[in-house]
Amino acid sequence: MEFTTVWFVIIAVLWVGFFVLEGFDLGVGMLHGVLSRDEASRRAVLHTIGPVWDGNEVWLVTAGAAMFAAFPGWYATLFSGFYLALVLLLAGLIVRGIAVEYRDRVDGAQWRRTWTVLLTVGSLIVPFVLGIALGDLLHGVPVGRDQEYAGTFADLFTGYGVFTGITVTALCLLHGATFLALKTSGEIRERAHRLARRAVLPVGLVVLAFVFWTRSLADQGILLNLLELAAVLAVAAAAWAISSSHDGWAFGATTLAMAATVGSLFTELYPRVMVSSISSAFDLTVDNTASGPYALKVMTIVALVLLPVVLIYQGWTYHVFRKRISADHFPAPGQASPGPLTARPES
């Protein structure tokens, strides 16, 4: 296997890892105001992602850095053409991060309500914008002979791109609901379970439409590949697990659904990395955008050494913070000094 193919696979894995891990974070951000009836339960919901959300975002940074190092031509065209969309993405990430850390810094109802709204909005913006960007890679945007983006901001809003954004956002919402059902107890868990049960059917229909649209767009016929079939079956498995109250299986199924959905887009894209809507002759590929063989070889060695370390560290983090969380663990407003995600120790 050539190094260009290896790094396309690595970048696809990094994007899949980001959506799997950050996907439930974003889902929790969307749902924290819906599933919480009081401040204690709202803090409990946010505490489920408090120790891990910033570490999960590292996958996005790493994916962007890998694109820059392995395929500088792809990176240059994508980031220059999608500049305004990326500014919107960064705004969503910044607002979301500040909201998680600052909403409990001041003991005031209006202060917390403001950050609750901003956290919800930021958590919606991030998967929607990223979904549009990934969908546009396969659908195609105006890219000229010189590998320069030749369109406008409006050209990014293709039908398939917008639907990809909707699909990813819907999966994040379901993924967040199954995560909360797994990580919380009491009334919060019951609300998360009810919401997941109501959402799984429409999300499944969206995923089904997405995989067939993806297959049609790639001109590969109606038979699904293994990842596309896995995405559909995973949502069906999630529906069974949710209805049977198997929280662990439900979260595992939504994890697989997210991974297979995002991964299927990359499988249909290869060996292209960005399709030109002007002419297929102008498509960006793994060959005409890649770095030199020596650079790719060195990067491969570094990735083989560091990636297992990152996986072990993140796995240990999730192991340490594996216990369920209840609203009973959190003080009511005014009973504790303001601080981010402050919880009473368990008895």
Side-chain angles (χ1 to χ4, degrees):
M1 184 182 293
E2 297 182 358
F3 284 120
T4 53
T5 301
V6 170
W7 273 96
F8 181 86
V9 172
I10 290 175
I11 289 170
V13 169
L14 291 173
W15 277 109
V16 168
F18 168 76
F19 279 107
V20 165
L21 295 175
E22 190 72 351
F24 66 76
D25 284 356
L26 295 167
V28 170
M30 296 179 213
L31 297 173
H32 80 287
V34 176
L35 299 180
S36 307
R37 294 293 184 266
D38 52 46
E39 184 57 27
S41 60
R42 194 165 291 121
R43 297 180 73 185
V45 168
L46 291 179
H47 196 77
T48 62
I49 62 172
V52 298
W53 72 269
D54 47 355
N56 293 340
E57 282 191 0
V58 173
W59 287 76
L60 176 62
V61 177
T62 307
M67 292 169 64
F68 171 76
F71 302 102
W74 180 17
Y75 178 93
T77 304
L78 177 66
F79 278 68
S80 59
F82 291 43
Y83 185 80
L84 291 177
L86 292 173
V87 170
L88 182 61
L89 169 65
L90 288 175
L93 288 169
I94 291 169
V95 167
R96 175 177 168 269
I98 294 175
V100 171
E101 296 295 335
Y102 277 72
R103 73 174 302 279
D104 292 319
R105 291 288 183 177
V106 174
D107 189 16
Q110 184 58 47
W111 171 274
R112 289 192 294 267
R113 278 196 298 269
T114 299
W115 288 114
T116 292
V117 172
L118 290 175
L119 176 56
T120 303
V121 173
S123 298
L124 281 166
I125 287 174
V126 172
F128 184 65
V129 172
L130 283 175
I132 290 176
L134 291 179
D136 283 346
L137 297 180
L138 181 60
H139 176 274
V141 290
V143 176
R145 185 189 303 273
D146 55 358
Q147 295 190 354
E148 293 288 340
Y149 181 74
T152 65
F153 180 66
D155 291 324
L156 301 179
F157 294 91
T158 63
Y160 177 77
V162 171
F163 192 75
T164 303
I166 293 172
T167 303
V168 171
T169 304
L171 278 170
C172 286
L173 188 146
L174 181 62
H175 199 30
T178 58
F179 175 76
L180 286 174
L182 178 66
K183 280 289 293 178
T184 60
S185 59
E187 192 175 358
I188 302 174
R189 176 182 175 273
E190 294 302 321
R191 292 198 195 106
H193 186 266
R194 286 197 299 268
L195 189 145
R197 189 169 60 246
R198 293 168 183 166
V200 69
L201 178 58
V203 172
L205 294 175
V206 169
V207 170
L208 185 64
F210 169 79
V211 297
F212 277 108
W213 195 347
T214 301
R215 199 67 176 167
S216 173
L217 190 63
D219 197 21
Q220 297 293 331
I222 62 172
L223 293 179
L224 305 181
N225 64 31
L226 290 178
L227 280 178
E228 291 160 345
L229 181 61
V232 175
L233 293 178
V235 178
W240 167 81
I242 292 168
S243 64
S244 303
S245 297
H246 294 307
D247 297 334
W249 285 105
F251 180 68
T254 57
T255 297
L256 178 58
M258 178 69 80
T261 300
V262 177
S264 66
L265 193 149
F266 283 94
T267 60
E268 299 291 5
L269 185 62
Y270 181 82
R272 303 162 299 177
V273 294
M274 194 169 180
V275 174
S276 171
S277 60
I278 298 175
S279 170
S280 60
F282 303 154
D283 289 350
L284 305 187
T285 68
V286 294
D287 293 322
N288 65 18
T289 61
S291 295
Y294 179 75
L296 294 176
K297 180 179 179 180
V298 173
M299 289 167 54
T300 303
I301 295 171
V302 173
L304 290 175
V305 173
L306 294 183
L307 186 58
V309 175
V310 173
L311 293 175
I312 292 171
Y313 173 77
Q314 281 207 292
W316 176 252
T317 302
Y318 282 99
H319 174 74
V320 170
F321 296 100
R322 66 188 182 278
K323 292 184 178 179
R324 288 184 181 267
I325 295 172
S326 170
D328 296 335
H329 299 154
F330 292 81
Q335 294 182 3
S337 58
L341 307 179
T342 304
R344 291 200 299 258
E346 296 186 44
S347 56

